[in-house]
Amino acid sequence: MSGKREDYISWDEYFMAVAKLAGMRSKDPNTQVGACIVSADHKILSIGYNGFPIGCSDDVYPWDRDADDPLKNKYLYVAHGELNAILNYRGGSLEGATIYVGMFPCNECTKAIIQSGIKCVVYSMNKYPDSYEVIASKRMLDSAGVTIRKYEPSGKTLSIEV
């Protein structure tokens, strides 16, 4: 055989797969979201997934999302994948980077995305398109000049044996 192989995955497929693989580290029983931040020259800068902050045991803090007592719901404690990817970065500026994420970012993560200098959001699904959080996110991303792009799957299946 001469010439390079033609069935390699695209950059989008690669980085979204990394984001989804990172999400598989989440211990959240309902939603596993990973994020992968990438430089303009296709280098992975940081990765994150949703979970509790360092030092807050996932055996002690709640994973419930419907408890009557707000202090027994995960939402007050969990850091989203996007925020963790931003906070995990130790290399300086994220100016001009792209973030690949499994789910459309909430308004709180959107603030961090904008403030960190990320200029493009590539998301896999938008589970809550009509929620106030997503509507606010879209407004802020648009105002800040951040490009939003829905990931379009190619139909390829990636399988990794571990």
Side-chain angles (χ1 to χ4, degrees), residues 14-157:
Y14 176 53
F15 297 130
M16 189 57 74
V18 169
K20 288 185 177 192
L21 182 64
M24 294 174 73
R25 279 287 307 146
S26 174
K27 296 177 184 175
D28 189 318
N30 300 297
T31 309
Q32 301 81 43
V33 177
C36 179
I37 302 175
V38 181
S39 68
D41 61 346
H42 305 294
K43 304 290 188 281
I44 294 175
L45 301 174
S46 189
I47 299 169
Y49 56 88
N50 59 311
F52 297 121
I54 295 168
C56 298
S57 172
D58 51 40
D59 292 323
V60 174
Y61 282 83
W63 287 109
D64 197 344
R65 59 184 194 175
D66 297 317
D68 291 333
D69 180 354
L71 292 174
K72 293 183 179 176
N73 285 316
K74 67 179 180 176
Y75 298 113
L76 294 178
Y77 309 104
V78 169
H80 289 175
E82 305 94 316
L83 182 60
N84 273 326
I86 291 166
L87 295 173
N88 287 341
Y89 184 59
R90 299 287 190 253
S93 175
L94 292 172
E95 191 68 39
T98 296
I99 188 166
Y100 287 80
V101 64
M103 195 155 39
F104 197 90
C106 73
N107 59 306
E108 293 300 320
C109 288
T110 292
K111 294 173 198 176
I113 287 167
I114 293 167
Q115 290 298 94
S116 70
I118 292 171
K119 290 298 178 193
C120 182
V121 173
V122 181
Y123 68 96
S124 180
M125 80 167 132
N126 189 350
K127 197 172 177 181
Y128 308 105
D130 299 322
S131 70
Y132 294 123
E133 293 83 0
V134 168
I135 292 168
S137 293
K138 286 182 178 180
R139 273 189 198 167
M140 288 186 285
L141 291 166
D142 185 53
S143 292
V146 176
T147 303
I148 307 166
R149 184 164 54 87
K150 182 165 184 357
Y151 172 72
E152 296 298 336
S154 65
K156 291 179 187 171
T157 299

